[in-house]
């Protein structure tokens, strides 16, 4: 009688364990990618970037003013 219950227990264990072993997923999925665009509000165009999920986009370079605009700004006097 004890052997009968032992066989039943082993059969139940096999029924539960075999489907779990068969669920292994060996496929490699492609990483999720996003396209990052920049709104320059009418300024110089900035190229879009493709960034993988979890990664950081590279910020666009800072705008440098032409020499003339810089000298005009430097010569501006504030009225008190």
């Amino acid at each position: 009688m004890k052997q009968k219950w032992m066989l039943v227990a082993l059969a139940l264990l096999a029924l539960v364990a075999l489907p779990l072993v068969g669920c292994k997923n060996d496929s490699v999925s492609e990483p999720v990618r996003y396209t990052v665009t920049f709104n320059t509000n009418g300024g110089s165009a900035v190229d879009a970037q493709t960034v993988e999920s979890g990664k950081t986009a590279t910020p666009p370079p800072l705008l440098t003013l032409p020499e003339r605009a810089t000298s005009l700004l430097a010569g501006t006097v504030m009225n008190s």
Side-chain angles (χ1 to χ4, degrees), residues 17-33:
L18 287 177
L20 294 177
V21 173
C23 291
K24 185 176 178 185
N25 186 1
D26 290 332
S27 64
V28 177
S29 62
E30 290 291 320
V32 177
R33 292 190 174 101

Side-chain angles (χ1 to χ4, degrees), residues 5-79:
W5 285 109
M6 183 72 98
L7 288 174
V8 170
L10 285 174
L12 287 175
L13 180 63
L15 287 174
V16 171
L18 287 177
L20 294 177
V21 173
C23 291
K24 185 176 178 185
N25 186 1
D26 290 332
S27 64
V28 177
S29 62
E30 290 291 320
V32 177
R33 292 190 174 101
Y34 298 98
T35 300
V36 180
T37 58
F38 300 93
N39 183 353
T40 60
N41 291 326
S44 302
V46 176
D47 292 334
Q49 299 177 25
T50 301
V51 182
E52 285 187 20
S53 179
K55 304 285 173 114
T56 304
T58 304
L62 295 175
L63 175 67
T64 55
L65 294 173
E67 186 176 327
R68 179 168 182 208
T70 306
S71 64
L72 289 173
L73 291 173
T76 303
V77 177
M78 300 285 290
N79 291 334

